[in-house]
């Protein structure tokens, strides 16, 4: 698959991965590459007191497409 310019220059799915802040900066989503796979990680900000109940949402999910640019993350790109 040939990548578009937006996909080639996406700050969210190319290192260093840009954070996607949510809920008034209480947590962020971030794409990370680990063990030949891409993951979407849910991370709290650095202040657990600000996050409250959301602090327990530190989890991850394997993903196959960038949420921001639509680039396939399966390694089959030109």
């Amino acid at each position: 698959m040939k990548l578009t310019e937006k996909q080639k220059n996406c700050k969210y799915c190319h290192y260093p991965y840009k954070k996607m802040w949510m809920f008034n900066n209480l947590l962020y989503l971030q794409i990370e590459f680990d063990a030949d796979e891409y993951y979407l990680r849910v991370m709290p900000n650095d202040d657990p007191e600000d996050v409250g109940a959301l602090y327990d949402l530190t989890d991850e999910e394997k993903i196959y497409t960038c949420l921001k640019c639509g680039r396939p993350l399966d390694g089959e790109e030109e």
Side-chain angles (χ1 to χ4, degrees), residues 8-78:
K8 289 178 186 176
N9 299 312
C10 181
K11 296 177 183 177
Y12 297 95
C13 66
H14 293 284
Y15 187 82
Y17 308 103
K18 185 176 178 181
K19 299 172 183 174
M20 296 173 251
W21 286 99
M22 303 180 68
F23 303 112
N24 292 325
N25 295 334
L26 292 179
L27 61 86
Y28 63 90
L29 303 176
Q30 187 168 17
I31 295 174
E32 292 186 6
F33 185 73
D34 186 24
D36 292 330
E37 297 180 321
Y38 285 89
Y39 292 90
L40 182 64
R41 295 210 165 111
V42 179
M43 306 291 291
N45 69 7
D46 292 331
D47 189 350
E49 187 174 311
D50 287 346
V51 178
L54 296 175
Y55 187 70
D56 293 327
L57 293 177
T58 56
D59 207 359
E60 66 185 22
E61 184 70 31
K62 187 175 174 183
I63 59 172
Y64 303 92
T65 305
C66 177
L67 302 169
K68 292 291 190 173
C69 73
R71 176 173 79 99
L73 301 175
D74 59 7
E76 297 182 18
E77 59 191 50
E78 290 182 12

Side-chain angles (χ1 to χ4, degrees), residues 1-10 14 69-71:
M1 172 184 176
K2 187 164 177 124
L3 298 180
T4 66
E5 285 303 311
K6 180 179 178 181
Q7 291 170 328
K8 289 178 186 176
N9 299 312
C10 181
H14 293 284
C69 73
R71 176 173 79 99

